[in-house]
Amino acid sequence: MPDFAKLLFIVFCFVLLAESRKHRRRRWTSQMETNAIVVFCSHIYKKNHDVTKSWRGKPEQLLRVDDHDFTMRPAFGGPAIPVGVDVQVESLDSISEVDMDFTMTLYLRHYWRDERLSFPSTTNRSMTFDGRLVKKIWVPDVFFVHSKRSFIHDTTTDNIMLRVFPDGHVLYSMRITVTAMCNMDFSRFPLDSQTCSLELESYAYTDEDLMLYWKNGNESLKTDEKISLSQFLIQKFHTTSRLAFYSSTGWYNRLYINFTLRRHIFFFLLQTYFPATLMVMLSWVSFWIDRRAVPARVSLGITTVLTMSTIITGVNASMPRVSYIKAVDIYLWVSFVFVFLSVLEYAAVNYLTTVQERKERKRRERFPCTCGISHSKTMMLDGNYSESDANSLAGYTRNQMVPEEEKQEKMVVHLAMSNESNSSRKRGLKGHVGLRIIQNTHAIDKYSRLIFPGTYIFFNLIYWSVFS
């Protein structure tokens, strides 16, 4: 309390006491009033007041802010002022492969000494201020290198804290969210690990004026144990520092917050690798389908090819357009080649089958067989016949002849049967049907059933041993 206010308060108390004695009518009432006034005045006078009310002037006057030029750094003209830095990472919000950046929320703290802010104190206690005093004093001009966006949180007020100690040491803390660039290498995607860094540097002061350093080495970086990402596993946080040179301005101290991320593979196994593998295996089903079933084998091949194209397009849509081949591209395109080769395999089988049938037709036209079938029991077929046709011809014998004038341009199918019993005849017919089923499997299909799965398994062994 100022001396003038104390004097007024004392005068006021004496006036009250004098008035109480002057107008007393009953002795006990006057004595009670006098005692109450004395107790009240002594209580108010002896009360421990707020420290801000007991100082002379405002806090800025106590810190002598108006007496110094804070546009200049501390100890201007002398050696570089050391500024210690420590960081506490609150959250790692997102990692974007398309934009090649990351977003991080952190507490950034600076430590330095400014003798212009020293003040006398008997208790050696510090004073804490908010962001309003920061605009009136000198603070380090630290910025984030390669930052795309950053801001200081301002809810409900600016998240800035300034703590000043009697000897002039200063603690300056801010809560910041920053989005910075991260150069990622996707050559092993999605079996990759990425190392990103957040870089801090003074914008104006070179290493001759300001020396940035990690206050406690690697212990200067603290992280929240609850930090987690959906696609990445955070392996390690560590700090480094080095000098950065600019040809126009000089050398600057630069601090690095490095962290290593390893991608979770299980998501991509479910969404990419397993579907691609199943499509390749589905394309192999055509090797066990009759080569004459053209619609079934063609539709199966086209379906698997289109599905593989959709998988490749979906994966590349969520990735940056890099000019090099990624690990997932190798797997998907090799799988696509296997599916495409299965379609080409049936094209080759169908072509060779057609060529073989054409040769047989020409040979039969050159040496027609007209013996053994009477006019009434001759069946004219145009190259293709079924088992029911064969059964209908089961009763014909060799002794039945056809006149020459009844020969037709179409091929005459003659099924020679002996005069054996019906049971022997049925057994021979079953053996003939089984032989035809075996003959309908082309030799290329037989080899493809072994070559395609074996080659694909060999590819998978090499792929996972190299990239995992």
Side-chain angles (χ1 to χ4, degrees):
M1 182 181 294
D3 295 338
F4 181 72
K6 291 181 181 179
L7 180 61
L8 288 179
F9 183 75
I10 293 173
V11 171
F12 175 73
C13 290
F14 276 111
V15 170
L16 288 178
L17 290 174
E19 289 295 327
S20 66
R21 292 176 180 176
K22 179 179 179 180
H23 299 286
R24 58 187 173 188
R25 296 178 181 178
R26 293 188 297 272
R27 182 175 180 81
W28 65 272
T29 304
S30 176
Q31 187 64 33
M32 289 177 61
E33 292 177 354
T34 302
N35 294 337
I37 293 173
V38 171
V39 171
F40 173 75
C41 292
S42 61
H43 176 73
I44 295 298
Y45 184 77
K46 294 180 180 179
K47 184 179 178 181
N48 186 14
H49 297 283
D50 190 353
V51 178
T52 59
K53 296 180 180 179
S54 64
W55 289 339
R56 295 182 179 181
K58 299 179 180 180
E60 288 80 3
Q61 295 176 350
L62 179 67
L63 294 177
R64 301 192 300 277
V65 174
D66 298 331
D67 297 340
H68 302 280
D69 183 10
F70 281 97
T71 59
M72 313 298 289
R73 70 172 178 86
F76 180 77
I81 174 176
V83 177
V85 177
D86 69 31
V87 172
Q88 180 173 349
V89 179
E90 181 182 7
S91 64
L92 194 58
D93 302 323
S94 64
I95 306 291
S96 175
E97 291 88 356
V98 177
D99 299 327
M100 284 193 177
D101 59 23
F102 65 92
T103 302
M104 178 186 294
T105 300
L106 52 89
Y107 296 94
L108 177 62
R109 305 185 184 96
H110 305 82
Y111 302 85
W112 74 94
R113 183 180 181 186
D114 191 345
E115 295 182 354
R116 296 170 295 184
L117 297 178
S118 61
F119 61 92
S121 175
T122 57
T123 59
N124 197 28
R125 291 183 177 179
S126 62
M127 293 188 297
T128 302
F129 306 92
D130 57 14
R132 288 172 289 187
L133 183 61
V134 174
K135 301 177 181 178
K136 300 181 179 181
I137 65 173
W138 181 91
V139 293
D141 59 338
V142 175
F143 78 105
F144 297 101
V145 186
H146 306 307
S147 171
K148 296 182 177 180
R149 296 174 300 275
S150 61
F151 63 92
I152 299 175
H153 290 258
D154 55 0
T155 305
T156 57
T157 59
D158 292 340
N159 295 172
I160 297 176
M161 185 268 289
L162 188 71
R163 183 171 294 168
V164 182
F165 294 86
D167 58 353
H169 281 88
V170 182
L171 166 60
Y172 177 42
S173 177
M174 298 175 290
R175 183 168 176 255
I176 303 174
T177 294
V178 56
T179 301
M181 183 178 64
C182 177
N183 293 322
M184 300 182 184
D185 182 14
F186 297 106
S187 58
R188 300 177 64 89
F189 175 87
L191 306 169
D192 58 334
S193 296
Q194 303 294 341
T195 300
C196 301
S197 62
L198 183 62
E199 306 171 12
L200 296 84
E201 183 181 303
S202 173
Y203 191 84
Y205 297 100
T206 64
D207 60 340
E208 297 178 355
D209 292 322
L210 189 145
M211 183 181 66
L212 278 179
Y213 69 97
W214 290 111
K215 189 173 184 296
N216 298 313
N218 285 330
E219 299 297 327
S220 301
L221 181 60
K222 304 292 184 181
T223 58
D224 193 342
E225 296 180 355
K226 298 181 180 179
I227 295 178
S228 62
L229 294 171
S230 59
Q231 292 190 24
F232 292 92
L233 173 65
I234 303 176
Q235 290 186 322
K236 183 175 60 174
F237 273 95
H238 66 281
T239 60
T240 55
S241 61
R242 66 184 66 176
L243 288 175
F245 177 73
Y246 298 91
S247 58
S248 302
T249 53
W251 293 89
Y252 294 82
N253 294 111
R254 182 177 295 183
L255 305 181
Y256 295 82
I257 302 174
N258 304 309
F259 55 95
T260 303
L261 306 173
R262 183 170 182 83
R263 196 182 305 272
H264 294 299
I265 187 59
F266 189 71
F267 171 81
F268 296 93
L269 288 176
L270 293 178
Q271 299 296 324
T272 304
Y273 287 95
F274 285 166
T277 303
L278 291 177
M279 286 300 103
V280 175
M281 297 174 65
L282 183 61
S283 67
W284 299 340
V285 176
S286 63
F287 303 152
W288 278 266
I289 299 177
D290 190 352
R291 60 179 175 173
R292 298 181 185 275
V294 178
R297 296 190 66 164
V298 171
S299 60
L300 181 61
I302 293 176
T303 301
T304 53
V305 168
L306 293 178
T307 305
M308 284 300 305
S309 300
T310 304
I311 295 175
I312 294 174
T313 304
V315 172
N316 292 328
S318 60
M319 295 297 298
R321 298 178 180 178
V322 295
S323 58
Y324 50 85
I325 299 177
K326 304 181 290 293
V328 67
D329 293 335
I330 297 175
Y331 193 91
L332 292 179
W333 279 104
V334 170
S335 300
F336 182 83
V337 169
F338 271 88
V339 172
F340 186 73
L341 288 178
S342 66
V343 178
L344 294 182
E345 187 270 348
Y346 177 64
V349 169
N350 191 33
Y351 174 75
L352 295 177
T353 301
T354 304
V355 171
Q356 183 180 0
E357 290 179 352
R358 188 181 299 119
K359 292 180 180 179
E360 292 180 356
R361 187 180 300 113
K362 290 181 179 179
R363 186 174 63 251
R364 290 175 181 175
E365 290 177 354
R366 185 177 303 174
F367 303 102
C369 179
T370 60
C371 59
I373 300 180
S374 65
H375 175 71
S376 59
K377 297 183 178 181
T378 302
M379 180 171 290
M380 309 302 294
L381 298 176
D382 191 11
N384 296 325
Y385 57 94
S386 61
E387 297 300 330
S388 60
D389 301 330
N391 294 333
S392 63
L393 299 176
Y396 292 101
T397 62
R398 304 183 178 184
N399 298 326
Q400 294 172 332
M401 304 296 295
V402 177
E404 291 293 331
E405 62 272 15
E406 295 182 3
K407 294 180 181 179
Q408 302 293 334
E409 294 180 357
K410 295 183 179 182
M411 181 179 65
V412 179
V413 179
H414 173 215
L415 181 63
M417 302 295 294
S418 62
N419 293 325
E420 298 175 351
S421 62
N422 292 334
S423 60
S424 299
R425 192 171 300 167
K426 291 182 180 180
R427 287 196 300 268
L429 183 60
K430 290 181 180 180
H432 182 70
V433 172
L435 181 62
R436 287 194 56 204
I437 295 176
I438 296 176
Q439 289 177 349
N440 283 339
T441 300
H442 200 276
I444 297 179
D445 286 338
K446 295 179 182 179
Y447 291 119
S448 297
R449 295 172 187 175
L450 299 176
I451 294 176
F452 274 74
T455 307
Y456 194 70
I457 292 173
F458 180 71
F459 161 72
N460 274 270
L461 292 176
I462 295 178
Y463 180 87
W464 293 108
S465 63
V466 171
F467 291 103
S468 62

